[in-house]
C-alpha cells in the first residue's frame, strides 16, 4: 500500500510520510489553512507524531488500517493533505470521514476539489465506502462550499465547546455534511 499513487490532471497523491514534515508544518500551523478544526493548529511535535502514525498505518496496517492519509503534490511540491478515516463502528454502513487541508498559497485554483474527488473515488472503488461525512466550522465558508460542490449536503449543525491554549472556554459552530454513494 505504501507505493499507492493516485493521479489527477494537476496532482499526484501518495501516502503521507515523515519527509513531508516541513511542507505540512506550514499548513497545520496556519489558522487560515486549518480553519477552526478541533485540535488545530498543532505544533511541530504533534505534526511529527501524526505523520509517524499515518506512515506506520500505511506500512503495517493493511488489515486494521483505518486512516488513509494522502500527501497532495503539485509540481512535485507537497501542498496539503487529504485523509479518509474509516468508521468501523457499524461495518454494514461502510462509512468514512473526510478531512483535508491545503496551503493557502494554492487556494482558489480547484486543486483542493481535484484532490478530494480523487480520494473519494479511491474510497468508493477500493475501500467500498458508501457514505462520506465531512465536518467543518460553519464560518469556514470555503470548506462548506467545497463540500457542497462535491455533492455533499448539510445534515446537522451544533455548538462545540473546547479550551484554547490558555485554558479558556471557546465555542464554535460545527456543520456536518454527508455524501451518500
Amino acid at each position: 500500500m505504501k507505493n499507492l499513487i493516485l493521479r489527477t490532471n494537476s496532482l499526484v497523491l501518495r501516502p503521507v510520510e515523515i519527509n513531508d514534515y516541513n511542507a505540512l508544518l506550514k499548513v497545520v500551523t496556519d489558522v487560515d489553512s486549518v480553519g477552526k478544526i478541533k485540535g488545530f493548529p498543532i505544533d511541530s511535535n504533534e505534526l511529527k507524531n501524526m505523520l509517524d502514525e499515518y506512515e506506520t498505518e500505511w506500512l503495517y496496517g493493511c488489515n486494521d488500517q483505518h486512516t488513509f492519509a494522502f500527501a497532495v503534490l503539485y509540481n512535485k511540491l507537497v501542498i496539503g493533505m487529504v485523509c479518509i478515516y474509516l468508521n468501523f463502528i457499524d461495518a454494514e454502513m461502510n462509512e468514512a470521514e473526510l478531512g483535508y487541508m491545503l496551503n493557502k498559497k494554492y487556494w482558489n485554483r480547484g486543486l483542493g476539489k481535484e484532490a478530494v474527488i480523487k480520494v473519494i473515488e479511491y474510497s468508493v472503488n477500493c475501500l467500498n465506502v458508501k457514505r462520506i461525512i465531512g465536518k467543518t466550522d460553519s464560518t469556514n465558508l470555503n470548506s462548506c462550499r467545497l463540500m457542497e460542490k462535491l455533492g455533499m449536503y448539510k445534515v446537522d449543525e451544533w455548538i462545540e465547546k473546547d479550551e484554547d491554549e490558555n485554558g479558556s472556554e471557546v465555542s464554535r459552530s460545527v456543520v456536518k455534511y454527508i455524501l451518500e454513494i
Side-chain angles (χ1 to χ4, degrees), residues 119-164:
V119 172
I120 289 174
E121 287 173 1
Y122 172 77
S123 302
V124 170
N125 297 328
C126 300
L127 303 175
N128 201 31
V129 169
K130 303 289 185 218
R131 179 186 222 196
I132 301 206
I133 296 170
K135 298 176 196 164
T136 190
D137 188 281
S138 65
T139 63
N140 188 342
L141 299 180
N142 286 335
S143 187
C144 291
R145 278 193 293 272
L146 173 57
M147 286 191 264
E148 289 165 3
K149 287 178 185 177
L150 296 168
M152 300 176 85
Y153 57 94
K154 183 176 158 183
V155 294
D156 202 2
E157 186 167 354
W158 66 92
I159 301 296
E160 194 170 83
K161 295 186 186 294
D162 202 0
E163 290 184 358
D164 65 14

Side-chain angles (χ1 to χ4, degrees), residues 9 12 15 30 43 50 57 74 79 86 88 95 97 99 113 134 140 142 149-151 153-154 173 179:
N9 289 336
V12 172
D30 178 56
D43 65 28
M50 183 175 74
E57 287 188 34
Y74 178 70
I79 63 167
L86 296 183
F88 291 117
E95 185 175 274
E97 187 167 341
K113 180 180 177 188
N140 188 342
N142 286 335
K149 287 178 185 177
L150 296 168
Y153 57 94
K154 183 176 158 183
S173 175
L179 176 65

Side-chain angles (χ1 to χ4, degrees), residues 56-75:
T56 300
E57 287 188 34
W58 277 110
L59 290 170
Y60 306 110
C62 296
N63 294 327
D64 295 342
Q65 185 168 330
H66 64 285
T67 301
F68 294 81
F70 291 90
V72 179
L73 286 78
Y74 178 70
N75 291 332

